[in-house]
Amino acid sequence: MKAEEVLFTFGSGQERVESATRRMETGKSIRLRIEGMNCGSCVAHVERALRAVPGVRSVEVNLTTESANIHFANGAVATGDLVNAVRDAGYDAEPFRPGDAATTDIEKSLAARLRQQRQATLQAVAVGAPVMAIHWLAPLLESHEHGGHIWPHAVQALLCLFLLCSSAGAPILVGGMQAILHGVANMDLLIGLGVSVGFIGGTLRLILGGADFGEFDAVAMILAFINVGRLLELRARHGAGSAIAALTRRIPSTAHRVTDRGIETVPIDLIRVGDRIRAVVDTFVPVDGEVIEGQAAVDESAVTGEPLPRNRGVGDAVVSGSIIREGTLVIRASHVGVESTIGRIVRTVEEAQAGKTRWQRIADRVAGVFVPVVIVIAIATLFFNHWRIGGGWLFAVERAIAVMIIACPCAMGLATPAAVLVATGAAALQGILVRDAAALEAAGSVDWIMFDKTGTLTTGRPFVQSVFTVAVNSTRGSEPSRDEIRTSDDVLSLAASVEQNSQHPLAKAIVNAACEKNLTFDESFAFESFPGRGARAVVKGETVLVGSPALLREQGIDIHSADVAMQQARDTARSVVLMALGQHCVGSILINDSIRKGASEAFQELRSLGIGMSMVTGDSAVAAHAVADSLGIADVLAERLPEEKLSDVRVMKDRGHRVAFVGDGINDAPSLAGADVGITFASATDVAVGAATITIVHHDLRRLPLLIRLARRSVRVIRQNLFWAFFYNILAIPLAATGRISPGVAAACMMFSSLSVVLNSLRLRRVGSDVTVSSIDS
């Protein structure tokens, strides 16, 4: 097992925020960009070619992202061998660098393809229109003298020949010939056969003096509709991949590097760890690193979810993708390129979009055998219509052409990847990173979520809830010499004066509470720490001890006067810190772990979605029920060891539930891996992030219902797409074989089928806009 991770830390002083996007994978993998695929049959053929390379364990080829993920065992597999295998199969390939799917090179490539397709579409429509017009005006021309009606059809033939040799038809014919040479049946082969047979049939009818020249009209309509469809499909795919483009726009193409000679502007690829980078106002931070000069207001909302800019100065860390709103920083780079925060997020999204769901694998297998079956049906249609029905050869050829055109399996190949592409992109823009398509599919079927408590439902950062003064029993000794211990603020100020020298989380909570109240700290001397229990110091000549009840007892201090506070702490699962002045207990501080912001709203929405919930924690039953009661969780399992948590997950799965587990600790890793869906947060431990399949960048529980809604809608759209793709072919092929659909209409139907699944998938973009980052954070 190989774990590959990068940990990003930003914040300083008492605030330390850790964000991570990590990935665990077995063995190794290589990613390739594939060019030339246009249907599900192409996908199946490329997968077979790559699987044949020795050492390859598994392959995932995605039509929408035009990429291939090749996984292999620990033995070496040369990238060149994989590229050659793809080229031998009739397609082109090149190594895929992480982030390429939306970098400038890819955008330029897509722009060039769109320009070429626009030109091809313009030719197909401009030249095809006269061909179709002549066909519609043919009855008028036939009223002239004998033989006068031949020349318009000769014009049709010349125009169709031009179409076949132009960019509107030549790429299809070349693709079809390459398919024959490489032994693969794909969309280009079906369309190429259809238009070729149609053109040859029309030419023969023209030479032999036939009476009907519908073949030329069919050729023109097929090429026009196919090219219009491909243009719209390219534009739709570009829209579906807009999430990656939005993320990578946060990666500038250049950076200002500070050297001994001054400041130089260099391509971002040339930046190395340790370089000094200057970031100015209204620009994106290009790298992760530490501020070594300057001060600025930095907008980190895209990465951390913080709605307001944060002040960053010398010693603070900043992350790539942040925006400088005010000021200027010089940053020493610690992570660059694809290893930076935004680079890792982009890589995670790309890999999720390249993955496949169970439905997609089924569709690809069907598409792999679909084209040969269609060719067999077309041949059967040809002979049946000629011999059994008694139609002429050209009559039979027209129906066979319609069968081949209408049955192109484009919709099958696009049904699932288009939906996955849009859904994972929309999720990424909301701060939800889905590791692969299977995780998205599994999240869509979740009906029960199990939560860890500490760090998941609670912040894991203690805060002062209550401060009490304690009356000193004069019969047990003299009064404290400091008569100013009269209010809770006096207790808090004196305790903070001692704890300001401690790094313990409870000590920090006391200091933070004093700072929030603008209380004055006194200077302390002779500081002494009792690790995990408390601290002692001299403040204004008085010995002050702040710590646990056990520590005060150990030091011989009577704490009976604090019994009420200690009982309240036990009843409410709070932590209690006592303070003694000299040998007298004079104050108590109740400290609590706060429930995360938005948890109640998230749970209400999850219930409205029909999700059952339970808490599984290693904490005490009292502490667990205190949190559970505030959130309305009835099913609570407390004091559970890691293996017992995993057992609880399995029990719930055995009851027939589809279970998601949400946790962030090392002890949660087994449960995260054992659940149907493991969900963690970017601030979690590296082990938890590695075990989970979904990572929420912003630690906000309100993104959980958004994830469930998006996943459910994605599964629903995938099923709709696949139903339409299969239903369309089941219905259309018999209609074409019986002559109820002409070749031209068949081309229009095929175009509509492909566009329908892409446009249906694009509806998923609205799910992410239902709950925006800004609305959540506000």
Side-chain angles (χ1 to χ4, degrees):
M1 181 71 68
K2 176 183 176 183
E4 186 175 302
E5 71 175 49
V6 173
L7 179 64
F8 308 105
T9 304
F10 44 99
S12 63
Q14 295 175 0
E15 178 192 54
R16 181 179 176 85
V17 184
E18 294 184 331
S19 174
T21 53
R22 309 165 181 90
R23 179 170 155 269
M24 295 184 70
E25 59 186 35
T26 302
K28 299 179 180 179
S29 65
I30 292 176
R31 198 169 180 207
L32 300 179
R33 285 172 50 194
I34 311 294
E35 295 183 3
M37 298 188 299
N38 49 43
C39 65
S41 181
C42 297
V43 171
H45 186 61
V46 172
E47 287 186 342
R48 284 196 299 270
L50 288 170
R51 286 195 190 100
V53 177
V56 171
R57 179 167 50 84
S58 63
V59 177
E60 291 178 338
V61 177
N62 192 294
L63 176 62
T64 307
T65 59
E66 296 181 325
S67 64
N69 279 346
I70 303 98
H71 305 277
F72 49 93
N74 291 327
V77 175
T79 303
D81 294 341
L82 299 172
V83 171
N84 290 334
V86 174
R87 290 174 177 170
D88 291 342
Y91 305 89
D92 197 11
E94 63 179 358
F96 198 123
R97 294 176 299 162
D100 270 0
T103 56
T104 304
D105 291 342
I106 291 297
E107 291 181 344
K108 287 182 178 178
S109 175
L110 179 59
R113 289 173 59 191
L114 281 170
R115 285 195 300 271
Q116 293 170 358
Q117 191 56 53
R118 286 193 194 99
Q119 180 182 355
T121 303
L122 181 61
Q123 289 179 346
V125 173
V127 179
V131 175
M132 289 182 276
I134 291 174
H135 176 75
W136 295 329
L137 296 174
L140 297 176
L141 297 174
E142 290 174 359
S143 63
H144 292 277
E145 58 179 309
H146 180 69
H149 69 287
I150 297 297
W151 71 264
H153 299 302
V155 173
Q156 279 186 308
L158 291 175
L159 291 176
C160 285
L161 180 62
F162 174 80
L163 278 178
L164 291 173
C165 296
S166 69
S167 59
I172 295 174
L173 296 179
V174 171
M177 287 186 289
Q178 288 179 339
I180 294 174
L181 292 175
H182 293 94
V184 57
N186 61 12
M187 174 181 170
D188 282 342
L189 177 59
L190 288 179
I191 299 174
L193 283 175
V195 296
S196 298
V197 172
F199 177 76
I200 294 171
T203 302
L204 290 175
R205 191 190 293 270
L206 180 64
I207 294 173
L208 299 175
D212 185 8
F213 296 89
E215 290 83 359
F216 295 133
D217 171 57
V219 169
M221 287 185 67
I222 289 169
L223 292 178
F225 280 124
I226 292 299
N227 280 281
V228 169
R230 287 188 172 181
L231 175 62
L232 295 177
E233 186 180 309
L234 270 177
R235 295 181 63 180
R237 287 193 197 179
H238 179 57
S242 60
I244 285 288
L247 288 171
T248 52
R249 276 194 290 270
R250 290 183 169 267
I251 306 177
S253 58
T254 60
H256 302 296
R257 183 166 60 189
V258 180
T259 68
D260 295 337
R261 298 183 300 274
I263 298 175
E264 58 183 10
T265 302
V266 297
I268 193 67
D269 291 343
L270 298 182
I271 300 299
R272 299 291 180 263
V273 173
D275 285 353
R276 291 174 295 164
I277 306 300
R278 186 170 184 264
V280 299
V281 65
D282 291 332
T283 62
F284 289 107
V285 176
V287 297
D288 295 351
E290 179 185 355
V291 178
I292 59 175
E293 183 182 326
Q295 191 166 359
V298 182
D299 181 356
E300 299 173 345
S301 59
V303 182
T304 69
E306 291 285 347
L308 299 176
R310 307 300 300 274
N311 186 48
R312 299 299 185 196
V314 175
D316 292 337
V318 292
V319 292
S320 60
S322 304
I323 305 175
I324 306 295
R325 295 301 185 189
E326 184 181 17
T328 301
L329 298 177
V330 177
I331 306 161
R332 180 180 289 110
S334 60
H335 298 93
V336 301
V338 298
E339 297 301 329
S340 65
T341 298
I342 198 70
R344 293 293 296 231
I345 291 175
V346 170
R347 176 179 175 181
T348 301
V349 176
E350 285 176 349
E351 290 174 349
Q353 293 179 341
K356 291 188 179 184
T357 67
R358 177 173 56 90
W359 291 103
Q360 184 178 347
R361 290 188 176 91
I362 294 173
D364 285 347
R365 283 198 296 268
V366 172
V369 298
F370 188 74
V371 174
V373 170
V374 168
I375 292 177
V376 172
I377 294 175
I379 294 174
T381 299
L382 176 69
F383 288 106
F384 180 82
N385 280 278
H386 177 64
W387 283 326
R388 294 296 300 273
I389 297 181
W393 278 110
L394 296 178
F395 167 81
V397 164
E398 182 177 340
R399 295 190 175 184
I401 293 172
V403 169
M404 287 188 289
I405 297 301
I406 207 167
C408 290
C410 301
M412 288 186 198
L414 292 171
T416 299
V420 170
L421 180 71
V422 177
T424 53
L429 291 178
Q430 298 299 326
I432 302 170
L433 303 182
V434 183
R435 177 176 294 182
D436 52 40
L440 181 70
E441 185 179 30
S445 61
V446 164
D447 61 3
W448 197 276
I449 301 180
M450 304 178 77
F451 292 89
D452 174 47
K453 182 183 76 70
T454 306
T456 301
L457 297 179
T458 62
T459 61
R461 291 189 291 273
F463 73 102
V464 172
Q465 186 175 51
S466 306
V467 182
F468 304 98
T469 58
V470 175
V472 179
N473 190 342
S474 60
T475 64
R476 297 183 180 272
S478 60
E479 293 291 331
S481 60
R482 291 191 65 185
D483 57 3
E484 65 268 23
I485 305 298
R486 299 190 181 96
T487 67
S488 59
D489 283 354
D490 294 336
V491 173
L492 188 59
S493 175
L494 190 54
S497 298
V498 175
E499 297 286 27
Q500 62 183 322
N501 300 304
S502 174
Q503 295 299 313
H504 191 278
L506 298 186
K508 291 182 177 181
I510 292 172
V511 173
N512 288 341
C515 290
E516 289 173 1
K517 287 192 168 188
N518 295 318
L519 301 181
T520 302
F521 293 10
D522 293 322
E523 188 175 3
S524 61
F525 302 92
F527 177 81
E528 181 182 2
S529 176
F530 299 89
R533 296 182 294 165
R536 179 165 54 198
V538 176
V539 181
K540 287 190 175 181
E542 297 284 349
T543 299
V544 183
L545 178 64
V546 181
S548 66
L551 176 63
L552 268 67
R553 289 194 196 99
E554 181 184 302
Q555 298 298 314
I557 298 173
D558 186 358
I559 61 173
H560 284 89
S561 57
D563 283 346
V564 174
M566 289 188 291
Q567 185 60 46
Q568 182 179 351
R570 285 191 292 269
D571 293 342
T572 58
R574 306 311 193 240
S575 297
V576 61
V577 175
L578 302 181
M579 186 181 77
L581 188 61
Q583 289 297 308
H584 298 277
C585 181
V586 297
S588 61
I589 303 172
L590 294 186
I591 297 179
N592 193 16
D593 186 4
S594 62
I595 295 175
R596 287 199 175 275
K597 179 182 177 182
S600 297
E601 296 94 323
F603 275 59
Q604 290 175 4
E605 191 167 355
L606 287 171
R607 290 189 188 96
S608 70
L609 293 172
I611 302 291
M613 288 166 285
S614 58
M615 179 195 294
V616 187
T617 178
D619 209 344
S620 68
V622 174
H625 280 284
V627 174
D629 291 345
S630 65
L631 293 175
I633 302 176
D635 187 7
V636 180
L637 299 169
E639 301 177 9
R640 311 296 284 175
L641 297 173
E643 58 270 23
E644 292 174 325
K645 287 186 177 183
L646 176 58
S647 177
D648 295 332
V649 170
R650 288 172 175 168
V651 168
M652 196 60 68
K653 290 172 68 175
D654 290 341
R655 293 177 183 173
H657 291 289
R658 299 286 291 177
V659 180
F661 188 91
V662 184
D664 68 340
I666 293 176
N667 61 334
D668 296 322
S671 300
L672 289 167
D676 295 302
V677 181
I679 304 173
T680 191
F681 301 91
S683 57
T685 63
D686 56 345
V687 177
V689 174
T693 53
I694 296 176
T695 299
I696 299 178
V697 175
H698 321 289
H699 206 142
D700 193 323
L701 292 170
R702 285 171 291 185
R703 281 179 170 80
L704 283 174
L706 172 61
L707 167 64
I708 297 298
R709 287 205 316 273
L710 181 60
R712 286 183 176 179
R713 234 177 260 191
S714 300
V715 172
R716 188 159 60 245
V717 166
I718 288 172
R719 290 174 178 170
Q720 291 170 353
N721 288 349
L722 289 172
F723 172 79
W724 167 248
F726 285 106
F727 175 77
Y728 157 79
N729 281 288
I730 292 173
L731 180 66
I733 290 176
L735 293 176
T738 56
R740 298 181 185 276
I741 295 178
S742 68
V745 175
C749 291
M750 192 270 287
M751 176 194 72
F752 174 74
S753 174
S754 298
L755 286 177
S756 65
V757 298
V758 176
L759 295 176
N760 189 42
S761 299
L762 288 174
R763 294 189 302 116
L764 290 170
R765 291 194 294 188
R766 295 203 300 268
V767 181
S769 63
D770 292 344
V771 181
T772 63
V773 174
S774 59
S775 66
I776 286 178
D777 291 330
S778 62

